[in-house]
Each structure stands twice: as structure tokens, then as C-alpha cells.
Amino acid sequence: MIRNAIRVLLLAVAVSLFGSTPVLAQPGTVIVKYRSGVSSAQRGSVARRAGARRTVGTVRAQGARVMSVSGDPVAVARRLASSDQVVFAEANRRVRATRTPNDRLYRQLGGLAEINAAAGWRALGLDAFPVSGGAPVGVIDTGIDTGHEDLAGKVKACAGAVNGRIKTGACVDDNDHGTHVAGTIAATPNNRVGVLGVAFNSPLIVCKALDAAGSGKLADVASCIAWAHEQGARVISMSLGGPASVSIRTAVRAAWSRGGAHGSVVVAAAGNDGNTATDFPAGYPEVVSVAAVDDAGRHASFSNANADVEIAAPGVQVLSTHRGGGYVRFSGTSMATPHVAGAAALLWGAHPRSTAASIRKRLDGSVTDSGPAGRDPSFGWGVLDLARVP
């Protein structure tokens, strides 16, 4: 039997989150101000060499020109600014209204604040909070409450496994755990209720491998891994752990496909024994092993620490969706795992032609190093930080 590694703490915590104005380059134009006395012919020569084409506007009360360009506006502005005939030059960047989602419990989502989710969304152009278009995420767990107000319409495919046999359409959650994990990954954004997920625009591919007691058989987990991969999951999230298994290792290897273009990034919980034990599937080299930290970024006392830990993420009193409606706080590496799975989905969405190996490398770089320099048993490469998404 596979042991569902979770310890539940129903305690309240609220962390405020705020945004700042994002700035993105507007294609095709730069702002340039020439020095006083520079002739029209000289301006034209400087502009042509830099790649600026013609004046299309001006900046009021500054004497600066808005010019169309051929090529990258940032590079053109840099070349213009290097001329001793130019006062300043910059890409004509776009600013947007500062936005925060209107989800009622958003400011209580301390995990999102801790991983700088808002900064990551802005950097990836997702601060308008689209509800679709993201990379599909497989969730192998106790199922999902598809009728929950924050999860309705999120499930792309649904199945359950019994003795390794897949039955489509059978993914009703009878435990709470799977619904909670699913909400952390992809709860609907900006709908004036509840919470939102890390990868809120990702569809979910849900396979129920664990029962009402939160445990399941090796064959069911292995079959669910294969089925989720077949359904197109670019990320497979497993908030579960147990002994080493040939069948699960084989399924994980096939889904990872050596990190190729058709591979899935596989993410799993490091375990909640509070020691140096290695849980599986997290312990396999194809799998990103996730440890838990508290809201201060400290290693959670229950979280396993070993050489296989790759990334740490919030896992203490995480607020997310609850089976039957409403919201609840759970703790465990089970709660840290969907934060990392969601981050992997965001990276797939931003780099759709990548390989699983390159997405994993980007994921490992999207952290703030904690503990000893470099990779360490408690934090891996560091705590997930979406402000650093490459």
C-alpha cells in the first residue's frame, strides 16, 4: 500500500500580498531625445545606424521623439543612447494598470506571497488572469470535487484506477486531499470567490489512485501515471509517497522519456517523516522531489531532508479548496508539491517548444537559495521563487 504522506493542521494564518506596475516593451518604437544643436542630417544619420526609421510622435514638453524601429526596440535604444548626440533613448515600453485578482481569500494565500507568484505572473504576461491556455497538469491523488466553485470546468480528463485498470469518468474525491491539491495548482482566478491556483490557467488531468483513507496500490499509481501522460499532461503532480516500486519506476521513466520534447515533468512529495528517509516516487532521478517550508521560509519540521530533495515550497497551513465546498488549511509536503507542479506548468506555458529536461532546469533556477550555498538536503536548490522565472 502507498502511504499518503500528509499531516493536517487546521490553523489560520493571513499574509497580505500586493502588486506593482508591470512594464513590458512595446514592439516597434523607441523614445529618443537628441542634444540641442544636432542638425536634421545628423539626427537622421544616428537614427539609421541604430535602426530607428521615422518619427511617429513626440513626448509633450520634453522635445523627445517617438520613432519606429526595425528590430528589437531595446537594442535600438541602446545603440541610440551610445551616441554622443543623444541625451537619452529608451524602448517605448508598455505599462499596465496594477492588478490583483478579486478572489475573496487571495490575501490569505501566504504560499503565493512566499513564492512571489504575482511577480511571476507579471513576468509571464498572466496578470490579466486568463482562465485557460496553460499547460495541462496531471494530478494523481484521491480525485477531485468537480463541482467546487473554484474548480468547476477545470478538469480536461478524469479517470480512476482499480487493480491497475483505468476507468474514465471516475475521479470523485472521497477524502479531501486531491481537491486541496488541485486548488493549489489551478483554482479559477478572478471570479470573486475563494482562492486561485499557481497555474490558474492550466487544465487538470485527474486520475484517482488513492481511496477514501488516502492510500492506494502500486498498480493504480503506475497506471495513472501512464494514463495522465497519454492524455497530454506536461506536468504530473503526485502528493503521495511509499516504498520503491519497479512498476512505478517504469511508469515514471516512460512519462519522463529522458526529458525529451514529449516528456512530462514529474513532481512528487519528499515525505513527512521528519527524518532523512527517501520516499518514492520522489526518490527517482526522473522526479522533482519537493520539501516543505513554513511561511517564514524555514524548513518544516515534518519535511524529509535528504540528498534527493530538489526544491522546497510552502507546505504549512496552506489554504485551498475543500471537498463539498469551502476552503481549508492542510500541511505537508503534499501541499508543497502542487506549488512546484504549478510553477512547472507556468514554465511550460511560457516555453511550449521546450523539453521536459529544459523545463526542469528552468524550474531549478526559479528559486532563492536557502541554507548552505548550493543544493542541500533541506531545501534542495532553494525555495521556489517565481520572481526568478527565466
Side-chain angles (χ1 to χ4, degrees), residues 290-367:
V290 183
V293 295
D294 63 17
D295 59 359
R298 298 171 299 215
H299 178 76
S301 61
F302 56 77
S303 181
N304 289 8
N306 53 59
D308 190 62
V309 168
E310 191 162 339
I311 294 181
V316 176
Q317 301 171 47
V318 174
L319 181 66
S320 188
T321 44
H322 183 259
R323 176 176 60 111
Y327 304 86
V328 66
R329 294 184 185 275
F330 288 166
S331 291
T333 53
S334 284
M335 284 58 256
T337 299
H339 284 89
V340 175
L346 292 177
L347 289 168
W348 267 121
H351 306 280
R353 296 186 179 181
S354 293
T355 63
S358 63
I359 293 297
R360 185 175 182 177
K361 184 176 181 180
R362 290 178 185 275
L363 185 64
D364 288 344
S366 303
V367 299

Side-chain angles (χ1 to χ4, degrees), residues 12-217:
V13 63
V15 179
S16 295
L17 184 67
F18 59 91
S20 60
T21 304
V23 184
L24 300 175
Q26 176 180 333
T29 56
V30 296
I31 303 170
V32 56
K33 182 174 181 177
Y34 294 98
R35 295 193 181 279
S36 177
V38 176
S39 69
S40 177
Q42 289 173 317
R43 291 196 300 266
S45 177
V46 170
R48 284 191 297 273
R49 288 197 304 270
R53 302 173 69 180
R54 62 188 182 87
T55 299
V56 296
T58 60
V59 179
R60 186 179 181 88
Q62 288 190 22
R65 298 164 180 255
V66 179
M67 301 191 70
S68 63
V69 303
S70 56
D72 178 14
V74 174
V76 172
R78 188 181 302 117
R79 290 192 291 269
L80 284 167
S82 68
S83 171
D84 58 8
Q85 297 178 347
V86 171
V87 177
F88 73 86
E90 62 183 356
N92 191 19
R93 299 175 182 268
R94 184 183 298 277
V95 298
R96 298 177 182 170
T98 300
R99 298 182 183 181
T100 54
N102 60 23
D103 301 86
R104 184 168 53 86
L105 301 177
Y106 175 55
R107 296 186 183 279
Q108 296 184 40
L109 299 176
L112 294 185
E114 189 176 342
I115 65 173
N116 289 312
W121 296 333
R122 288 195 300 271
L124 297 173
L126 296 174
D127 53 328
F129 307 107
V131 298
S132 61
V137 180
V139 181
I140 299 173
D141 213 290
T142 64
I144 188 173
D145 178 1
T146 57
H148 192 286
E149 60 184 355
D150 254 338
L151 296 171
K154 297 297 298 186
V155 178
K156 176 184 178 182
C158 163
V162 178
N163 293 324
R165 294 178 177 174
I166 293 291
K167 180 180 179 181
T168 58
C171 64
V172 175
D173 186 4
D174 50 9
N175 173 276
D176 295 332
H177 190 261
T179 296
H180 193 277
V181 166
T184 298
I185 295 172
T188 303
N190 224 34
N191 59 352
R192 299 186 182 279
V193 299
V195 300
L196 75 164
V198 175
F200 46 72
N201 64 333
S202 283
L204 298 174
I205 297 171
V206 179
C207 193
K208 179 177 172 62
L210 306 180
D211 60 21
S215 65
K217 296 181 179 179

Side-chain angles (χ1 to χ4, degrees), residues 1-17:
M1 301 290 284
I2 285 188
R3 178 172 46 79
N4 180 350
I6 175 176
R7 288 173 172 78
V8 179
L9 299 176
L10 303 179
L11 302 176
V13 63
V15 179
S16 295
L17 184 67

Side-chain angles (χ1 to χ4, degrees), residues 230-326:
E230 291 163 5
Q231 301 307 305
R234 305 316 304 269
V235 182
I236 296 176
S237 181
M238 291 185 283
S239 290
L240 52 85
S245 157
V246 174
S247 57
I248 291 181
R249 176 69 191 278
T250 301
V252 163
R253 280 178 168 171
W256 170 248
S257 299
R258 295 182 297 278
H262 301 292
S264 301
V265 176
V266 186
V267 185
N272 292 352
D273 300 306
N275 56 30
T276 59
T278 300
D279 266 13
F280 295 91
Y284 297 126
E286 298 86 359
V287 179
V288 177
S289 176
V290 183
V293 295
D294 63 17
D295 59 359
R298 298 171 299 215
H299 178 76
S301 61
F302 56 77
S303 181
N304 289 8
N306 53 59
D308 190 62
V309 168
E310 191 162 339
I311 294 181
V316 176
Q317 301 171 47
V318 174
L319 181 66
S320 188
T321 44
H322 183 259
R323 176 176 60 111

